[in-house]
Amino acid sequence: MSGGDMAKPLLGHQSMEGDPSITPVAGRTIGVLGSGDFARSLAIRLVCSGFKVVVGSRNPKRKAGLFPSEAEVTFQADAVKKTDVIFVAVFREHYSTLCDLADVLAGKILVDVSNNTEMNHHKESNAEYLASLFPACTVVKGFNVVSAWTLQSGARDGNKQVLICSNNQEAKRTVAEIAQVMGFTPVDMGCMSSACEIENIPLRLLPAWKIPIFLALGLFLCFFTYNLIRQVIHPYIREQKNKLYKIPIEVVNTTLPCVAYVMLSLVYLPGVLAACLQLYHGTKYRRFPDWLDQWLRHRKQIGLLSFFCAALHAVYSLCLPMRRSHRYQLIETAVKQAMEKKMNIWVEEEVWRMEIYISVGIIALGLLSLLAITSLPSIANSLNWREFSFIQSTLGFIALVISTLHTLTYGWSRAFDENQYKFYLPPTYTLTLLVPCTVILAKVIFNFPCVQQRLLRIRRGWEKGRYVKFVLPSATGEYSSGETSSNV
Ligand code: NAP
């Protein structure tokens, strides 16, 4: 049998042995209707997982060579007779051509693995359609979120979750067990009405990323336009200087850190707003408005985009000295100084500013990398809640403070220099400071003991104006209880 990785089961069979909840299904004969890409990958994986496989094709002679020798490739009707569980690896449009098999299929489990090309393409899901064509069969939806490539790529790569739904619990359990023996993680999605949702999953394009990406693009566009006006349009209008060459690198490189910094503050701003609402209402049991709820749920993606922009900013900054324009400017300055007979151009303050600016920038990027890495599910799952919240909340906030230092050392005294106000527009860095400084200030206020204690009590279930049972230690050290208003 061919196959490198395919020769190894996704999980060793022994891993199932100790689990009493799992009926041994390995060794059972599984049928596959169809001989395309999916059917072939599925058959190989099933064989490697210890199943006997019988493939039903319209043309078994021609297709037999594509399958491992351990799999039997035969006519559809013949294959169906030899097994009780049949994977239908055929497109929906061809389901009706299988109707001739209705009698032999009666009483068997059909696994619908099909996908659509568009979301909600048909009124009823493919699985429901299959069930309507074969009412004497039990249809289970499953394996459609696993690609032929994932089936082939073995234990190392690919999505390992198999979403399963059916109206028949027993059939669903059988298919879940098969998935488990194959090394996948079956996820019970309930009854057949979930099939439509399961079929839509492979067609979704980064659903959790849409809002954060639009947010990042919106911020990028705003800051890019602002920087373009200051760095290119202003010198052109005021001094007739052509600075268009600055657009690809300089303007982009002054825009990226603005986006990264503001996005990082937007990770922590919804938490601040949520805390303000909880303090205002004096309870944690009141639902946040939908927009805040959505924002809270997208913090991970916003943070990762902030890291992405910061990383690009670092690469752009490292490449700045490589540019021809930079070399010409350096030589020009050197010549000018030589003509003016200036020997010492060392400005102590500028030297220190740059050293500190770069150093805090590197630390901020390091912390952002740590936040990005620990947000990956495989890493996050290895941390307990305290470790995860320490990294994401405390270190994340420290990253925001250090990024603020990076921005301040970059700006230094420019905010007080009137030459920096192009068309009366303040330097870009002053604008970027607004949201992050508000977040930092709010976090500092939340750390005042009076505010912190009230917030802590609210988060432990205390509610304004509610009578609660309290327990207090008495003078003798024993505890006495009574009723009081927690508002007092
Ligand atoms: P494919 O390569 O085109 O294979 C489809 C197979 O259907 C053919 O090889 C053919 O086998 C069989 N078939 C039966 N009746 C047919 C008919 N009347 N006309 C044409 N073909 C007929 O497609 P595939 O990529 O394997 O996909 C098969 C199913 O798996 C689809 O429902 C798809 O949505 C689903 N799926 C595929 C993937 C993937 O990565 N490819 C992932 C998830 C789900 P015979 O000629 O031997 O009968």
Side-chain angles (χ1 to χ4, degrees), residues 205-222 259 263 266 294-295 298-306 308-309:
L205 183 66
L206 305 171
W209 285 87
K210 265 188 200 142
I211 296 175
I213 286 175
F214 280 122
L215 184 69
L217 285 178
L219 281 172
F220 187 89
L221 211 67
C222 292
V259 180
M263 292 281 283
L266 292 182
Q294 286 252 359
W295 193 352
H298 286 109
R299 283 179 296 177
K300 173 178 156 181
Q301 288 78 9
I302 296 175
L304 284 172
L305 285 174
S306 161
F308 175 68
C309 293

Side-chain angles (χ1 to χ4, degrees), residues 35-38 57-58 63 89-91 94 97 113-115 144 148:
S35 61
D37 296 337
F38 194 84
S57 168
R58 292 166 304 165
K63 303 291 175 72
V90 171
F91 284 103
H94 305 135
T97 65
V113 300
S114 66
N115 281 319
N144 64 309

